Amino acid sequence: MTQGQRKKIVATERKNGVKGARHMGWIPAVVYGHGLKNQHIQVENKQFGVVLAEAGQSSLIDLEVAGAKKGDVNTVLIRDVQYHPVRGHILHVDFYQPRLDELITADVPIRFIGESPAVKDMGGVLVKALDELEMEALPVDLPRDIEVDISSLTNFELSIQVADLQLPPRVKIKHEPDDVVVLVQPPRSEEEISQLSEEVKEDVTAVE
């Protein structure tokens, strides 16, 4: 996502505390980082949800705080999102402004696409050994996600490793080349399922 394509969020200063912000339908947030003093702000729930879905937590976004000096826009990453443990809605957000000329480390999510013949035709079970990749790059070079096509998994002997991934330029990955990203395990036999049932029954009996 280039600078011209960056998503933008307009926030306001938080004046009524965390509970007050949530009561009014806002998400409490804080912005901090290079050249900034910690600032307590709030963002509109729906707008933030759209930006998070489209930019993710490894793409730079523009954050403007309403009432600030004209043209004073912070270039930030969504550093941390806290969710309610039961209801699942967003409780708090951290925005971090990095130095654009210094390398940073971030976890970039993996997006699996396609369909594995070993799953579709052979009844296998898809096992995602990694769901994100630790990467080092300049902030502007961090990708939103890494796409992994699982249609090459045609049997149970194949796997996709880190070395097989198509990575963007100017990005250093913090994993070993032979680390497995995804594979397909064969379905359990009737004998294995029967043994698992017996083990569960034994555990229940032991508890009683």
Side-chain angles (χ1 to χ4, degrees), residues 155-175:
N155 60 56
F156 303 135
E157 285 71 44
L158 296 175
S159 66
I160 296 176
Q161 300 178 334
V162 167
D164 302 319
L165 302 181
Q166 296 294 319
L167 300 176
R170 301 183 297 278
V171 169
K172 181 180 179 181
I173 193 164
K174 300 281 193 171
H175 296 266

PDB file of all heavy atoms in Angstrom, residues 155-175:
ATOM      1  N   ASN A 155      -0.903 -34.053  -2.117  1.00  0.00           N
ATOM      2  CA  ASN A 155      -0.840 -35.313  -1.375  1.00  0.00           C
ATOM      3  C   ASN A 155      -0.315 -35.045   0.034  1.00  0.00           C
ATOM      4  O   ASN A 155       0.030 -33.917   0.377  1.00  0.00           O
ATOM      5  CB  ASN A 155       0.024 -36.358  -2.102  1.00  0.00           C
ATOM      6  CG  ASN A 155       1.452 -35.889  -2.303  1.00  0.00           C
ATOM      7  OD1 ASN A 155       2.153 -35.536  -1.350  1.00  0.00           O
ATOM      8  ND2 ASN A 155       1.905 -35.864  -3.557  1.00  0.00           N
ATOM      9  N   PHE A 156      -0.240 -36.100   0.841  1.00  0.00           N
ATOM     10  CA  PHE A 156       0.113 -35.938   2.256  1.00  0.00           C
ATOM     11  C   PHE A 156       1.617 -35.821   2.482  1.00  0.00           C
ATOM     12  O   PHE A 156       2.052 -35.527   3.592  1.00  0.00           O
ATOM     13  CB  PHE A 156      -0.427 -37.123   3.061  1.00  0.00           C
ATOM     14  CG  PHE A 156      -1.912 -37.316   2.918  1.00  0.00           C
ATOM     15  CD1 PHE A 156      -2.453 -38.576   2.713  1.00  0.00           C
ATOM     16  CD2 PHE A 156      -2.768 -36.229   2.975  1.00  0.00           C
ATOM     17  CE1 PHE A 156      -3.818 -38.749   2.567  1.00  0.00           C
ATOM     18  CE2 PHE A 156      -4.140 -36.391   2.834  1.00  0.00           C
ATOM     19  CZ  PHE A 156      -4.670 -37.662   2.626  1.00  0.00           C
ATOM     20  N   GLU A 157       2.413 -36.036   1.446  1.00  0.00           N
ATOM     21  CA  GLU A 157       3.864 -35.926   1.590  1.00  0.00           C
ATOM     22  C   GLU A 157       4.357 -34.504   1.353  1.00  0.00           C
ATOM     23  O   GLU A 157       5.487 -34.159   1.711  1.00  0.00           O
ATOM     24  CB  GLU A 157       4.581 -36.864   0.601  1.00  0.00           C
ATOM     25  CG  GLU A 157       4.554 -38.336   0.981  1.00  0.00           C
ATOM     26  CD  GLU A 157       3.168 -38.947   0.832  1.00  0.00           C
ATOM     27  OE1 GLU A 157       2.515 -38.676  -0.198  1.00  0.00           O
ATOM     28  OE2 GLU A 157       2.734 -39.674   1.752  1.00  0.00           O
ATOM     29  N   LEU A 158       3.523 -33.671   0.774  1.00  0.00           N
ATOM     30  CA  LEU A 158       3.939 -32.310   0.421  1.00  0.00           C
ATOM     31  C   LEU A 158       3.661 -31.331   1.553  1.00  0.00           C
ATOM     32  O   LEU A 158       2.754 -31.529   2.358  1.00  0.00           O
ATOM     33  CB  LEU A 158       3.208 -31.846  -0.838  1.00  0.00           C
ATOM     34  CG  LEU A 158       3.509 -32.619  -2.121  1.00  0.00           C
ATOM     35  CD1 LEU A 158       2.605 -32.124  -3.245  1.00  0.00           C
ATOM     36  CD2 LEU A 158       4.970 -32.467  -2.513  1.00  0.00           C
ATOM     37  N   SER A 159       4.444 -30.269   1.586  1.00  0.00           N
ATOM     38  CA  SER A 159       4.205 -29.166   2.524  1.00  0.00           C
ATOM     39  C   SER A 159       4.708 -27.888   1.869  1.00  0.00           C
ATOM     40  O   SER A 159       5.447 -27.918   0.883  1.00  0.00           O
ATOM     41  CB  SER A 159       4.941 -29.402   3.850  1.00  0.00           C
ATOM     42  OG  SER A 159       6.349 -29.359   3.673  1.00  0.00           O
ATOM     43  N   ILE A 160       4.276 -26.775   2.399  1.00  0.00           N
ATOM     44  CA  ILE A 160       4.792 -25.475   1.959  1.00  0.00           C
ATOM     45  C   ILE A 160       5.660 -24.936   3.075  1.00  0.00           C
ATOM     46  O   ILE A 160       5.218 -24.832   4.227  1.00  0.00           O
ATOM     47  CB  ILE A 160       3.641 -24.506   1.640  1.00  0.00           C
ATOM     48  CG1 ILE A 160       2.820 -25.033   0.460  1.00  0.00           C
ATOM     49  CG2 ILE A 160       4.192 -23.113   1.317  1.00  0.00           C
ATOM     50  CD1 ILE A 160       1.595 -24.196   0.136  1.00  0.00           C
ATOM     51  N   GLN A 161       6.907 -24.630   2.730  1.00  0.00           N
ATOM     52  CA  GLN A 161       7.859 -24.132   3.712  1.00  0.00           C
ATOM     53  C   GLN A 161       8.127 -22.644   3.482  1.00  0.00           C
ATOM     54  O   GLN A 161       7.741 -22.079   2.454  1.00  0.00           O
ATOM     55  CB  GLN A 161       9.156 -24.931   3.622  1.00  0.00           C
ATOM     56  CG  GLN A 161       8.969 -26.425   3.895  1.00  0.00           C
ATOM     57  CD  GLN A 161      10.269 -27.197   3.754  1.00  0.00           C
ATOM     58  OE1 GLN A 161      11.179 -26.797   3.026  1.00  0.00           O
ATOM     59  NE2 GLN A 161      10.369 -28.307   4.477  1.00  0.00           N
ATOM     60  N   VAL A 162       8.792 -22.032   4.431  1.00  0.00           N
ATOM     61  CA  VAL A 162       9.108 -20.605   4.323  1.00  0.00           C
ATOM     62  C   VAL A 162       9.880 -20.303   3.041  1.00  0.00           C
ATOM     63  O   VAL A 162       9.652 -19.292   2.382  1.00  0.00           O
ATOM     64  CB  VAL A 162       9.896 -20.144   5.568  1.00  0.00           C
ATOM     65  CG1 VAL A 162      10.501 -18.762   5.343  1.00  0.00           C
ATOM     66  CG2 VAL A 162       8.992 -20.144   6.795  1.00  0.00           C
ATOM     67  N   ALA A 163      10.784 -21.207   2.661  1.00  0.00           N
ATOM     68  CA  ALA A 163      11.589 -21.002   1.452  1.00  0.00           C
ATOM     69  C   ALA A 163      10.745 -20.970   0.184  1.00  0.00           C
ATOM     70  O   ALA A 163      11.174 -20.451  -0.844  1.00  0.00           O
ATOM     71  CB  ALA A 163      12.644 -22.105   1.345  1.00  0.00           C
ATOM     72  N   ASP A 164       9.528 -21.514   0.242  1.00  0.00           N
ATOM     73  CA  ASP A 164       8.657 -21.559  -0.938  1.00  0.00           C
ATOM     74  C   ASP A 164       7.842 -20.283  -1.130  1.00  0.00           C
ATOM     75  O   ASP A 164       7.199 -20.107  -2.162  1.00  0.00           O
ATOM     76  CB  ASP A 164       7.670 -22.739  -0.822  1.00  0.00           C
ATOM     77  CG  ASP A 164       8.390 -24.072  -0.678  1.00  0.00           C
ATOM     78  OD1 ASP A 164       9.403 -24.281  -1.374  1.00  0.00           O
ATOM     79  OD2 ASP A 164       7.933 -24.915   0.131  1.00  0.00           O
ATOM     80  N   LEU A 165       7.850 -19.402  -0.156  1.00  0.00           N
ATOM     81  CA  LEU A 165       6.980 -18.233  -0.199  1.00  0.00           C
ATOM     82  C   LEU A 165       7.508 -17.164  -1.147  1.00  0.00           C
ATOM     83  O   LEU A 165       8.713 -16.969  -1.294  1.00  0.00           O
ATOM     84  CB  LEU A 165       6.841 -17.637   1.209  1.00  0.00           C
ATOM     85  CG  LEU A 165       6.288 -18.565   2.287  1.00  0.00           C
ATOM     86  CD1 LEU A 165       6.197 -17.823   3.612  1.00  0.00           C
ATOM     87  CD2 LEU A 165       4.930 -19.132   1.893  1.00  0.00           C
ATOM     88  N   GLN A 166       6.580 -16.455  -1.772  1.00  0.00           N
ATOM     89  CA  GLN A 166       6.912 -15.305  -2.605  1.00  0.00           C
ATOM     90  C   GLN A 166       6.854 -14.064  -1.718  1.00  0.00           C
ATOM     91  O   GLN A 166       5.778 -13.590  -1.356  1.00  0.00           O
ATOM     92  CB  GLN A 166       5.925 -15.190  -3.761  1.00  0.00           C
ATOM     93  CG  GLN A 166       5.958 -16.356  -4.732  1.00  0.00           C
ATOM     94  CD  GLN A 166       7.281 -16.436  -5.482  1.00  0.00           C
ATOM     95  OE1 GLN A 166       7.836 -15.413  -5.894  1.00  0.00           O
ATOM     96  NE2 GLN A 166       7.802 -17.638  -5.647  1.00  0.00           N
ATOM     97  N   LEU A 167       8.018 -13.560  -1.356  1.00  0.00           N
ATOM     98  CA  LEU A 167       8.087 -12.430  -0.436  1.00  0.00           C
ATOM     99  C   LEU A 167       8.377 -11.137  -1.191  1.00  0.00           C
ATOM    100  O   LEU A 167       9.061 -11.154  -2.224  1.00  0.00           O
ATOM    101  CB  LEU A 167       9.176 -12.665   0.612  1.00  0.00           C
ATOM    102  CG  LEU A 167       8.992 -13.909   1.490  1.00  0.00           C
ATOM    103  CD1 LEU A 167      10.196 -14.073   2.408  1.00  0.00           C
ATOM    104  CD2 LEU A 167       7.712 -13.807   2.299  1.00  0.00           C
ATOM    105  N   PRO A 168       7.872 -10.021  -0.699  1.00  0.00           N
ATOM    106  CA  PRO A 168       8.157  -8.742  -1.352  1.00  0.00           C
ATOM    107  C   PRO A 168       9.624  -8.368  -1.188  1.00  0.00           C
ATOM    108  O   PRO A 168      10.308  -8.876  -0.287  1.00  0.00           O
ATOM    109  CB  PRO A 168       7.243  -7.755  -0.606  1.00  0.00           C
ATOM    110  CG  PRO A 168       6.984  -8.400   0.718  1.00  0.00           C
ATOM    111  CD  PRO A 168       7.003  -9.875   0.482  1.00  0.00           C
ATOM    112  N   PRO A 169      10.135  -7.479  -2.022  1.00  0.00           N
ATOM    113  CA  PRO A 169      11.533  -7.048  -1.893  1.00  0.00           C
ATOM    114  C   PRO A 169      11.746  -6.213  -0.637  1.00  0.00           C
ATOM    115  O   PRO A 169      10.795  -5.693  -0.049  1.00  0.00           O
ATOM    116  CB  PRO A 169      11.756  -6.211  -3.164  1.00  0.00           C
ATOM    117  CG  PRO A 169      10.392  -5.724  -3.541  1.00  0.00           C
ATOM    118  CD  PRO A 169       9.440  -6.822  -3.151  1.00  0.00           C
ATOM    119  N   ARG A 170      13.001  -6.122  -0.238  1.00  0.00           N
ATOM    120  CA  ARG A 170      13.413  -5.270   0.885  1.00  0.00           C
ATOM    121  C   ARG A 170      12.802  -5.700   2.215  1.00  0.00           C
ATOM    122  O   ARG A 170      12.615  -4.889   3.125  1.00  0.00           O
ATOM    123  CB  ARG A 170      13.102  -3.787   0.604  1.00  0.00           C
ATOM    124  CG  ARG A 170      13.782  -3.249  -0.644  1.00  0.00           C
ATOM    125  CD  ARG A 170      13.502  -1.780  -0.842  1.00  0.00           C
ATOM    126  NE  ARG A 170      12.080  -1.523  -1.063  1.00  0.00           N
ATOM    127  CZ  ARG A 170      11.489  -1.653  -2.240  1.00  0.00           C
ATOM    128  NH1 ARG A 170      12.173  -2.052  -3.300  1.00  0.00           N
ATOM    129  NH2 ARG A 170      10.203  -1.387  -2.362  1.00  0.00           N
ATOM    130  N   VAL A 171      12.487  -6.965   2.311  1.00  0.00           N
ATOM    131  CA  VAL A 171      11.915  -7.504   3.538  1.00  0.00           C
ATOM    132  C   VAL A 171      12.761  -8.693   3.989  1.00  0.00           C
ATOM    133  O   VAL A 171      13.089  -9.573   3.199  1.00  0.00           O
ATOM    134  CB  VAL A 171      10.459  -7.966   3.328  1.00  0.00           C
ATOM    135  CG1 VAL A 171       9.967  -8.757   4.526  1.00  0.00           C
ATOM    136  CG2 VAL A 171       9.549  -6.760   3.120  1.00  0.00           C
ATOM    137  N   LYS A 172      13.139  -8.691   5.265  1.00  0.00           N
ATOM    138  CA  LYS A 172      13.891  -9.801   5.840  1.00  0.00           C
ATOM    139  C   LYS A 172      12.975 -10.609   6.745  1.00  0.00           C
ATOM    140  O   LYS A 172      12.293 -10.055   7.605  1.00  0.00           O
ATOM    141  CB  LYS A 172      15.089  -9.278   6.648  1.00  0.00           C
ATOM    142  CG  LYS A 172      15.942 -10.378   7.266  1.00  0.00           C
ATOM    143  CD  LYS A 172      17.105  -9.780   8.045  1.00  0.00           C
ATOM    144  CE  LYS A 172      17.963 -10.869   8.687  1.00  0.00           C
ATOM    145  NZ  LYS A 172      19.087 -10.282   9.472  1.00  0.00           N
ATOM    146  N   ILE A 173      12.970 -11.911   6.531  1.00  0.00           N
ATOM    147  CA  ILE A 173      12.075 -12.759   7.305  1.00  0.00           C
ATOM    148  C   ILE A 173      12.839 -13.423   8.443  1.00  0.00           C
ATOM    149  O   ILE A 173      13.987 -13.848   8.278  1.00  0.00           O
ATOM    150  CB  ILE A 173      11.403 -13.809   6.394  1.00  0.00           C
ATOM    151  CG1 ILE A 173      10.253 -14.483   7.120  1.00  0.00           C
ATOM    152  CG2 ILE A 173      12.397 -14.817   5.884  1.00  0.00           C
ATOM    153  CD1 ILE A 173       9.319 -15.220   6.198  1.00  0.00           C
ATOM    154  N   LYS A 174      12.215 -13.486   9.618  1.00  0.00           N
ATOM    155  CA  LYS A 174      12.872 -13.989  10.817  1.00  0.00           C
ATOM    156  C   LYS A 174      12.523 -15.462  11.076  1.00  0.00           C
ATOM    157  O   LYS A 174      12.224 -15.837  12.202  1.00  0.00           O
ATOM    158  CB  LYS A 174      12.447 -13.152  12.027  1.00  0.00           C
ATOM    159  CG  LYS A 174      12.781 -11.685  11.919  1.00  0.00           C
ATOM    160  CD  LYS A 174      14.241 -11.443  12.225  1.00  0.00           C
ATOM    161  CE  LYS A 174      14.515  -9.975  12.442  1.00  0.00           C
ATOM    162  NZ  LYS A 174      15.863  -9.713  12.955  1.00  0.00           N
ATOM    163  N   HIS A 175      12.552 -16.268  10.038  1.00  0.00           N
ATOM    164  CA  HIS A 175      12.259 -17.691  10.165  1.00  0.00           C
ATOM    165  C   HIS A 175      13.303 -18.475   9.387  1.00  0.00           C
ATOM    166  O   HIS A 175      13.944 -17.945   8.477  1.00  0.00           O
ATOM    167  CB  HIS A 175      10.865 -18.020   9.613  1.00  0.00           C
ATOM    168  CG  HIS A 175       9.736 -17.377  10.363  1.00  0.00           C
ATOM    169  ND1 HIS A 175       9.066 -18.004  11.378  1.00  0.00           N
ATOM    170  CD2 HIS A 175       9.165 -16.154  10.245  1.00  0.00           C
ATOM    171  CE1 HIS A 175       8.126 -17.205  11.846  1.00  0.00           C
ATOM    172  NE2 HIS A 175       8.164 -16.070  11.177  1.00  0.00           N
TER     173      HIS A 175
END
